[in-house]
Amino acid sequence: MRNKLLQLVHIGKTQLGMDDETYRNLLSQQFYQNSAKNISYSDLLKLVKLLQDKGAKIRLPRSQSSLSPIQRKLWAVWKQMHADGVIDDGSSRGLNSFVKRSLNDEVPWNELTNSQATLVLENLKQWQKRVGK
């Protein structure tokens, strides 16, 4: 990921038409370094955003979802039930309330273990069957 950010920095530098001296002055003023290789990961993110603000057409790579496949399925079923009119509150807060009732536990839906998420998902599927949607 760090190499990808370094690549984006150099692409942004080229897009902005920065010469080497201007680029190094920017690095030294903002990050007290004369090379992007010496900058921390968080500062590289800031540098990419800074170049974007200056007009570079670079985009940060999308971060990988922290949800497990079963959690994504749970969320998809929840949103579909809301779209079908079965559920009034299709928000994350609404799903958390359902999880609390299903498990008798105050665990946010996106922090459920796979076995807990499977149990909640099965409860949702049974509910879907009962209402016929």
Side-chain angles (χ1 to χ4, degrees):
M1 186 67 179
R2 181 176 172 75
N3 289 338
K4 180 69 173 167
L5 288 176
L6 285 169
Q7 184 180 24
L8 288 175
V9 165
H10 291 289
I11 290 170
K13 175 184 121 177
T14 304
Q15 286 178 352
L16 294 173
M18 288 181 144
D19 63 1
D20 205 41
E21 184 180 339
T22 306
Y23 171 69
R24 294 201 186 277
N25 283 338
L26 173 74
L27 290 178
S28 64
Q29 288 172 357
Q30 295 291 324
F31 306 103
Y32 308 107
Q33 298 290 334
N34 63 355
S35 171
K37 288 182 182 178
N38 301 331
I39 295 176
S40 70
Y41 180 82
S42 61
D43 283 344
L44 276 174
L45 288 171
K46 290 177 189 172
L47 179 57
V48 168
K49 289 192 188 303
L50 181 70
L51 293 172
Q52 286 173 331
D53 291 343
K54 291 185 177 288
K57 302 285 187 226
I58 51 179
R59 287 190 295 184
L60 290 171
R62 293 184 181 178
S63 60
Q64 296 294 325
S65 174
S66 61
L67 298 176
S68 70
I70 191 76
Q71 289 170 329
R72 285 194 297 274
K73 176 71 174 176
L74 176 62
W75 181 246
V77 169
W78 182 257
K79 294 303 280 183
Q80 185 59 50
M81 288 178 72
H82 176 68
D84 291 343
V86 176
I87 297 169
D88 291 330
D89 185 2
S91 70
S92 186
R93 188 178 64 234
L95 181 52
N96 281 334
S97 295
F98 182 77
V99 167
K100 183 178 177 184
R101 287 190 306 272
S102 293
L103 300 177
N104 292 324
D105 197 0
E106 191 98 21
V107 181
W109 73 270
N110 55 354
E111 294 178 14
L112 292 172
T113 64
N114 284 346
S115 60
Q116 289 172 319
T118 301
L119 179 65
V120 173
L121 184 58
E122 290 306 315
N123 287 344
L124 279 178
K125 288 179 181 178
Q126 289 172 2
W127 187 5
Q128 271 183 317
K129 266 188 204 173
R130 283 193 305 269
V131 296
K133 295 214 179 194

